[in-house]
Amino acid sequence: MKIAMVGSGYVGLVSGACFADFGHDVVCIDKDQGKIDRLHDGVMPIYEPGLDSLVESNVKSGRLSFTTSLAEGIKDAAAIFIAVGTPSRRGDGHADLSFVYAVAQEIGEHLANEAVIVTKSTVPVGTGDEVERILANSGTAHRFAVVSNPEFLREGAAIGDFKRPDRIVIGAEDDFGRDVMSEVYRPLFLNESPLLFTSRRTSELIKYAANAFLATKITFINEMADLCEKVGANVQDVSRGIGMDNRIGAKFLHAGPGYGGSCFPKDTLALLKTAEDYDSPTRIVEAVVNVNDSRKRAMGRKVLDALGGADVARGKKAALLGLTFKPNTDDMRDSPAIAVAQTLTDAGVLVSAYDPEGMEQAQPLMPEVKMCTDPYSAIEGADATVIVTEWDAFRALDLARVKGLANAPVLVDLRNIYTPEDVRSRGFTYHSIGRQ
């Protein structure tokens, strides 16, 4: 089967490469000539473990190719995926669907055979209806169906998530759409990956509901962490204690500086706007968004307290280890590190930083922060060392070396990756989340 993937960003490139690895003939399409040129040269536009080798092997096999021409890319394709960005719209926070609708219009103008048009981008309820209307009004003479197929990929583990999914959600309104999508995912269905067929609007809502629920779990355990600090409890034990209940589950119960990334912030906001449009308030999600926004600045204030308080922090130095919103990605979107760094620089603190993959993306977002070549050069002369992102490279720091390089042996662990007793026994003042 030939598949066209319109959009060669995170979702489009990972999905396209994985579909090609299943044996489909995949063309990834993007208007950015520079991006397509780099892909032809084997240069990935994003950092995702294993993606470069997956792309390389499927390009060599002839199953994966790249083009800037949508008309050329969709020719003879049985399934055409729309995987372009849906960022938060400036002003009201609703998902900006202009890219999705522009692609739908162009597909309608160039459709040369019957095909299923698939919204892979995260889109609000009812977007598929509008895509269908645009295609119907484009004048195409060919049969088409519009299907919703949301992605559930975790950055840093996207290839494994695609190939071994918890579920595959397909929102289709007719047999044509269901039959084509069944063939698209046949390799996974043979591996007993569950296909959930729903209506198109239900599928669109599932994606938002899933992300909002996960964001709620993160925010809940973060609030429990704050309570643990007040009452002298240990949030990691609380997480284990409640996570062992199968009705709750252990995942997404790790206390930290708040969620960020490309999905949770914009998707929770878009869900709120959809609920508002339909006069169906989602108060829990509203609270989650507000609490998470406040938490990121609160983590900056936590570092200021470790420096002796905002009144005496001016002129001191803090070293931030980890800048991306999570490890194994170079994604800086809504990373807690941005708010932490801003809070510190606003207080007159000098900030140095190191991240294994994210510094190029981070520098424009935090111009006052000095980027360093390794964690130890960032730590040199620091009055507080702050672990913001739990990269493996920071899990086994040479603490004796850290103590020798730093101006003061103060470690602020915003990811709870160290044991308090062990760090303190080495002469450090240690601060973590939800633990004494």
Side-chain angles (χ1 to χ4, degrees):
M1 177 180 287
K2 179 177 177 180
I3 293 174
M5 189 68 62
V6 186
S8 298
Y10 185 84
V11 173
L13 186 56
V14 171
S15 300
C18 288
F19 278 138
D21 212 44
F22 292 159
H24 294 306
D25 178 12
V26 180
V27 179
C28 287
I29 305 162
D30 203 287
K31 289 186 177 296
D32 186 338
Q33 183 67 60
K35 180 186 291 185
I36 294 300
D37 289 343
R38 290 190 294 274
L39 284 168
H40 280 139
D41 292 336
V43 179
M44 299 300 103
I46 56 170
Y47 175 74
E48 177 65 31
L51 182 60
D52 51 354
S53 58
L54 185 69
V55 169
E56 180 183 11
S57 64
N58 283 284
V59 168
K60 286 183 177 179
S61 72
R63 291 190 299 267
L64 180 62
S65 59
F66 308 100
T67 183
T68 57
S69 171
L70 185 139
E72 174 189 320
I74 69 172
K75 184 179 180 182
D76 300 324
I80 304 169
F81 285 78
I82 300 176
V84 295
T86 55
S88 293
R89 191 165 61 193
R90 189 181 300 274
D92 65 1
H94 207 289
D96 183 350
L97 300 174
S98 58
F99 301 113
V100 172
Y101 293 153
V103 169
Q105 180 64 40
E106 194 172 354
I107 289 172
E109 293 170 357
H110 295 286
L111 196 61
N113 51 274
E114 68 175 22
V116 171
I117 317 304
V118 188
T119 53
K120 196 69 171 168
S121 304
T122 300
V123 296
V125 175
T127 301
D129 299 349
E130 180 64 12
V131 170
E132 185 174 66
R133 187 195 67 78
I134 291 170
L135 288 163
N137 291 340
S138 68
T140 181
H142 300 283
R143 179 170 68 146
F144 67 87
V146 176
V147 168
S148 167
N149 176 217
E151 54 84 18
F152 300 98
L153 306 179
R154 295 170 299 161
E155 294 190 42
I159 294 171
D161 285 349
F162 195 99
K163 292 188 173 185
R164 294 176 293 278
D166 296 321
R167 76 289 201 199
I168 301 160
V169 177
I170 298 170
E173 300 296 327
D174 57 29
D175 289 339
F176 177 43
R178 281 188 287 270
D179 291 345
V180 170
M181 294 304 290
S182 294
E183 184 62 22
V184 167
Y185 281 107
R186 186 171 60 85
L188 284 178
F189 184 69
L190 293 174
N191 291 336
E192 301 183 349
S193 296
L195 268 68
L196 174 62
F197 286 97
T198 73
S199 70
R200 193 165 57 209
R201 283 184 164 229
T202 300
S203 174
E204 291 168 340
L205 185 55
I206 284 172
K207 169 66 175 182
Y208 281 107
N211 279 353
F213 189 80
L214 294 175
T216 300
K217 289 187 74 174
I218 293 170
T219 305
F220 174 83
I221 201 62
N222 283 341
E223 288 202 319
M224 290 300 102
D226 291 344
L227 182 58
C228 284
E229 292 183 12
K230 299 292 186 181
V231 304
N234 185 315
V235 73
Q236 289 182 314
D237 289 339
V238 171
S239 296
R240 293 188 191 100
I242 65 176
M244 292 171 74
D245 186 328
N246 290 331
R247 296 169 301 174
I248 297 173
K251 293 183 178 179
F252 287 83
L253 288 177
H254 301 289
Y259 63 75
S262 61
C263 294
F264 289 179
K266 77 177 183 67
D267 290 354
T268 48
L269 197 56
L271 182 59
L272 288 178
K273 295 302 178 183
T274 298
E276 182 180 315
D277 290 345
Y278 285 88
D279 194 24
S280 180
T282 50
R283 301 300 188 204
I284 292 174
V285 180
E286 184 178 339
V288 166
V289 170
N290 292 335
V291 170
N292 190 68
D293 286 345
S294 298
R295 184 168 188 81
K296 295 175 185 179
R297 295 285 295 192
M299 294 299 100
R301 293 192 295 273
K302 188 179 186 73
V303 177
L304 289 176
D305 289 343
L307 288 168
D311 294 339
V312 299
R314 183 170 299 277
K316 290 188 176 182
K317 178 182 176 181
L320 304 186
L321 302 186
L323 299 173
T324 54
F325 86 97
K326 65 181 290 187
N328 296 321
T329 180
D330 59 355
D331 198 340
M332 284 295 302
R333 284 174 285 186
D334 283 293
S335 171
I338 300 171
V340 171
Q342 188 64 59
T343 302
L344 295 175
T345 55
D346 285 349
V349 177
L350 306 175
V351 181
S352 58
Y354 170 75
D355 187 280
E357 294 292 339
M359 290 192 292
E360 183 178 348
Q361 289 74 19
Q363 187 67 85
L365 301 174
M366 41 184 74
E368 295 177 301
V369 174
K370 178 184 177 182
M371 300 297 167
C372 300
T373 56
D374 61 76
Y376 298 103
S377 59
I379 291 167
E380 188 171 1
D383 296 287
T385 299
V386 188
I387 297 173
V388 186
T389 311
E390 67 275 32
W391 285 90
D392 285 345
F394 307 142
R395 291 181 179 273
L397 291 170
D398 183 341
L399 294 181
R401 185 178 178 188
V402 171
K403 189 175 181 181
L405 289 170
N407 186 53
V410 176
L411 181 60
V412 184
D413 184 358
L414 300 183
R415 297 291 182 171
N416 289 350
I417 63 176
Y418 284 92
T419 303
E421 295 78 9
D422 179 53
V423 178
R424 289 173 182 143
S425 70
R426 298 166 186 257
F428 280 84
T429 300
Y430 180 72
H431 305 267
S432 58
I433 302 292
R435 304 183 299 179
Q436 298 300 310

